[in-house]
Amino acid sequence: MEAIPVKKNQELEMTIVDLSHLGMGVAKIDGYPIFIENALPQEKVQVKIVKVGKKFGFGKMLSIIQTSPYRQTVENKDLIRTGIAPLSHLQYEQQLKFKQNQVENVLAKVAKMPEIHVEETIGSSFSFGYRNKAQIPVRKIDGILQTGFYRKNSHELVPLDHFYIQDPAIDAAIVIIREILQQFEVKAYNEREHSGFLRHIVIRRGSYSHEMMVVLVTRKKHFPQGEKIAQKIQEKLPEVVSVIQNINFKQTNVILGEEERLLLGRSFIYDQLFDKTFRISAKSFYQVNTPQAEVLYQKAFDLASLKQTDTVVDAYSGIGTIGLSLADKVAQVYGMEVTPQAVTDAQKNAKINKIDNAAYVVGKAETVMPKWKEEGIKPNVIFVDPPRKGLDQTFIEAACDMDPEKIVYISCNPATMARDLQIFADKGYYTDNIQPVDLFPQTHHVETVIALKKR
Ligand code: SAH
Ligand code: NI
């Protein structure tokens, strides 16, 4: 075994050579990597080694000796400490380059397809204040109910009022709701003891509609003050059209529990995408950056070059954003999605927008797709928009066996997308081009879209 070239608590000067995929600066001694938060490539920094592992270590930056020309001032260091905005110290243009590089790296290393061309990342018109959703942990600090965010890799709450990347109206709402909860002496959840009551406040605000939903996530069902608190919230925040109690009694990191109780208004908000109206329930997925989601979807539609005679599959359909936005331009849309609430939303959304050529079913993509293949459904174009873990091999095989002209793949994780590209290649489907689109400015998250065709 080779000796590790550094010791814990050692202080030394290091040059940053790279950014990790999580946005940490990387420095090397004899090939041994040290990850350093808040450090940028080309910088010389004074570092204290805080953790030494077998294959890599972590350092804390004590000072910057030579500053990167691409560094920008961070308004609040907690944004990096908590991981809310791990790239906020890097100028936005360079963030876009970083994301393009990330995609190039996984293509070369994971997919072994370095020949695929990666386009420049399409930037977001809002690089701050863009998130339409917040999931805020609630804890007791010094006897008072507080809201904020966890320090990275921990469950220690850093109190925070201004999250910078969220819609400022959401930031303001959290402070008002927190004050109401304090007045009503609502008990905060204690994670270590799994005691107390209120775990999270989840807020969604329609980017265009400005309708607001407030979800109070509680450990127990019994909440006699619930309706009164909901009324008070609406009194102070007239945009609120929905207040929901969600009950999560499990000891888990998953935020929402199974059961819901409506405290005020309706169980969903409306928002607009392109020229259509969408209802969104608490458990349904909805892209957090609405205007940039439109840019992403438009790119996907352009790549698909749809025809009026097309049969389209909208896989991982959520509330039907993709299929319903293009339904007017094609003959028929079939969608599937695993969350029942989201499928109900998709079906209602078809009705609201007077779309009668789109059908949505509840089910896992990897189960539904082979069934549709057996039933003889013959899509010309398949859209897939899976979660971070990417596609299932069974799904890919069924999709390719349906012999579509195009498969448009929207991905929020370049690593699993690169893995899936190899399986598609085995089935004869390829792409020459990848388009990254930035939906999550100031964070390390990368979204991409591709069109796979038979060669
Ligand atoms: N296309 C939608 C949703 C994309 S997010 C939009 O753009 O808004 C991915 C969706 O896949 C989520 O709604 C999630 O609930 C769903 N999902 C996760 N695993 C799934 C599976 N195995 N089969 C079908 N849907 C799944
Ligand atoms: Ni991540």
Side-chain angles (χ1 to χ4, degrees):
M1 207 176 78
E2 276 179 54
I4 293 166
V6 288
K7 287 201 176 66
K8 194 174 165 172
N9 293 327
Q10 186 181 341
E11 289 183 18
L12 66 168
E13 190 182 305
M14 303 190 93
T15 302
I16 308 301
V17 293
D18 203 359
L19 265 185
S20 77
H21 82 284
L22 297 173
M24 291 180 104
V26 186
K28 286 186 178 166
I29 306 186
D30 305 338
Y32 178 85
I34 310 276
F35 294 100
I36 305 150
E37 197 174 273
N38 190 16
L40 292 173
Q42 302 177 40
E43 290 187 331
K44 262 201 195 113
V45 294
Q46 185 70 18
V47 175
K48 181 176 178 175
I49 304 296
V50 289
K51 203 169 167 185
V52 178
K54 261 192 193 151
K55 297 213 164 114
F56 52 86
F58 290 91
K60 185 178 152 57
M61 191 169 80
L62 301 174
S63 62
I64 306 181
I65 296 156
Q66 198 178 304
T67 306
S68 160
Y70 303 124
R71 177 173 283 278
Q72 68 181 8
T73 314
V74 187
E75 298 189 52
N76 181 342
K77 286 228 173 69
D78 287 333
L79 296 181
I80 297 175
R81 273 212 298 168
T82 55
I84 292 173
L87 294 182
S88 52
H89 55 316
L90 183 61
Q91 289 169 7
Y92 191 54
E93 283 302 311
Q94 295 299 315
Q95 294 182 22
L96 298 177
K97 285 231 169 72
F98 162 78
K99 293 183 186 194
Q100 185 184 3
N101 289 340
Q102 290 298 310
V103 180
E104 283 164 351
N105 287 345
V106 293
L107 283 174
K109 286 182 193 152
V110 182
K112 312 255 188 292
M113 296 173 176
E115 71 282 2
I116 299 177
H117 177 72
V118 182
E119 304 286 342
E120 283 180 18
T121 311
I122 301 174
S124 173
S125 46
F126 297 94
S127 61
F128 283 97
Y130 60 87
R131 280 188 66 98
N132 61 27
K133 185 183 182 184
Q135 310 194 97
I136 305 300
V138 177
R139 295 293 176 268
K140 189 160 89 173
I141 297 176
D142 298 332
I144 307 183
L145 182 144
Q146 284 292 2
T147 50
F149 221 73
Y150 294 129
R151 190 191 284 269
K152 223 186 331 188
N153 306 322
S154 88
H155 281 227
E156 179 200 338
L157 191 89
V158 178
L160 212 62
D161 284 354
H162 193 355
F163 292 74
Y164 292 91
I165 63 169
Q166 279 164 201
D167 181 339
I170 292 182
D171 283 356
I174 293 161
V175 173
I176 289 171
I177 294 166
R178 183 181 70 208
E179 280 163 5
I180 295 170
L181 295 165
Q182 286 168 352
Q183 278 162 23
F184 279 81
E185 295 179 347
V186 172
K187 287 207 171 71
Y189 179 61
N190 180 320
E191 192 170 22
R192 206 160 26 84
E193 295 168 7
H194 191 51
S195 63
F197 187 65
L198 190 68
R199 301 172 66 127
H200 278 86
I201 303 170
V202 179
I203 298 188
R204 245 188 194 144
R205 179 174 188 257
S207 279
Y208 296 116
S209 69
H210 296 177
E211 287 194 353
M212 206 182 266
M213 170 186 281
V214 178
V215 183
L216 303 173
V217 185
T218 64
R219 185 177 69 89
K220 284 188 163 168
K221 190 165 180 178
H222 188 65
F223 189 21
Q225 298 170 305
E227 278 88 355
K228 247 196 210 152
I229 289 173
Q231 273 165 27
K232 195 86 193 166
I233 289 173
Q234 198 198 33
E235 213 177 282
K236 297 268 164 143
L237 295 165
E239 291 183 343
V240 171
V241 298
S242 168
V243 184
I244 294 170
Q245 178 191 2
N246 175 284
I247 301 122
N248 186 357
F249 55 84
K250 288 190 188 149
Q251 226 161 343
T252 165
N253 286 337
V254 178
I255 292 175
L256 295 180
E258 282 287 305
E259 203 183 332
E260 259 181 32
R261 187 162 75 96
L262 187 63
L263 298 176
L264 182 143
R266 38 178 154 85
S267 63
F268 53 86
I269 59 166
Y270 289 113
D271 198 21
Q272 279 83 45
L273 270 181
F274 300 110
D275 53 347
K276 304 222 161 46
T277 299
F278 288 87
R279 63 169 251 180
I280 311 146
S281 299
K283 285 182 189 155
S284 301
F285 176 90
Y286 187 58
Q287 285 288 6
V288 296
N289 182 346
T290 313
Q292 189 68 351
E294 290 175 311
V295 171
L296 171 73
Y297 297 150
Q298 189 57 55
K299 194 77 212 173
F301 301 156
D302 293 347
L303 288 171
S305 39
L306 299 161
K307 304 182 292 297
Q308 202 66 56
T309 51
D310 281 340
T311 296
V312 170
V313 165
D314 176 9
Y316 304 85
S317 50
I319 62 168
T321 44
I322 292 175
L324 297 176
S325 298
L326 59 76
D328 298 340
K329 299 181 188 76
V330 301
Q332 178 67 38
V333 176
Y334 298 98
M336 99 285 277
E337 153 68 47
V338 79
T339 308
Q341 266 192 346
V343 174
T344 305
D345 286 345
Q347 291 163 343
K348 301 268 185 198
N349 288 334
K351 281 225 175 70
I352 298 168
N353 295 291
K354 303 194 169 58
I355 292 165
D356 54 17
N357 61 338
Y360 285 91
V361 300
V362 182
K364 287 191 174 167
E366 57 273 29
T367 323
V368 173
M369 206 61 167
K371 213 177 90 206
W372 283 355
K373 190 190 89 181
E374 290 308 309
E375 288 168 9
I377 293 179
K378 281 232 155 255
N380 314 76
V381 182
I382 298 174
F383 287 87
V384 300
D385 187 8
R388 292 183 57 75
K389 69 171 191 232
L391 299 170
D392 205 277
Q393 177 142 1
T394 322
F395 175 90
I396 298 178
E397 283 169 4
C400 295
D401 289 345
M402 288 166 149
D403 200 27
E405 288 152 41
K406 279 180 190 162
I407 301 168
V408 178
Y409 187 162
I410 298 176
S411 160
C412 55
N413 184 350
T416 54
M417 186 261 312
R419 176 203 66 198
D420 293 345
L421 279 185
Q422 289 189 313
I423 309 172
F424 277 115
D426 291 342
K427 300 289 285 181
Y429 281 85
Y430 303 88
T431 186
D432 299 323
N433 260 296
I434 297 200
Q435 179 64 65
V437 181
D438 190 24
L439 267 74
F440 313 102
Q442 320 307 329
T443 82
H444 64 274
H445 292 283
V446 189
E447 193 90 9
T448 54
V449 56
I450 54 178
L452 296 150
K453 279 173 248 173
K454 234 178 186 171
R455 201 182 276 154

